[in-house]
Amino acid sequence: MIEGTIKEIRDVEQQAENIVQDAKRQSAKISQEAKEASEKLYADMVSQAREKAEKLRESVEASGNQQTEEALKQAGVEIENMKAAAMSREKEAVDLIISELI
């Protein structure tokens, strides 16, 4: 009878040990999965941040190029206006010189 009780105690102890070992394995597995998930999340966030930064850079560059083109067009218009004004003043200057010579 005592032998039966001792065997039952050993069986229960073995079951408890098995439960502890299983819990350790599951804990390690969960810990590894959490680590992998956090690494993936971090990599995804970094990737998204880089993509957003690149899109923003492209947007700013395009905006800057557009502003530069508009400024060059405006400068071209102003140059043409100045040329036209100079041409009209040239005729006045020639007429003034001719009138002074006469």
Side-chain angles (χ1 to χ4, degrees):
M1 180 138 170
I2 294 178
E3 290 175 7
T5 304
I6 292 173
K7 184 177 183 309
E8 286 181 28
I9 292 171
R10 286 184 182 157
D11 289 345
V12 170
E13 286 175 344
Q14 184 61 45
Q15 288 175 358
E17 181 64 28
N18 291 342
I19 291 170
V20 168
Q21 292 302 321
D22 188 45
K24 286 180 181 179
R25 282 191 297 275
Q26 287 180 359
S27 174
K29 181 181 176 186
I30 291 170
S31 178
Q32 183 62 32
E33 289 173 354
K35 180 181 176 189
E36 290 171 1
S38 69
E39 288 173 352
K40 183 181 183 321
L41 179 61
Y42 176 78
D44 290 347
M45 291 175 70
V46 168
S47 177
Q48 289 176 359
R50 285 183 179 150
E51 288 175 13
K52 285 180 182 178
E54 180 62 21
K55 286 179 183 177
L56 180 60
R57 185 195 62 77
E58 289 172 357
S59 175
V60 168
E61 184 177 317
S63 177
N65 288 342
Q66 182 180 6
Q67 290 175 352
T68 300
E69 288 177 20
E70 290 174 8
L72 287 173
K73 286 179 185 176
Q74 183 62 33
V77 168
E78 289 179 21
I79 289 170
E80 290 302 317
N81 289 341
M82 293 171 109
K83 283 181 182 178
M87 293 297 279
S88 70
R89 301 294 256 155
E90 179 183 19
K91 183 179 180 325
E92 289 177 25
V94 169
D95 289 346
L96 179 63
I97 292 172
I98 290 175
S99 70
E100 291 292 324
L101 290 176
I102 299 181

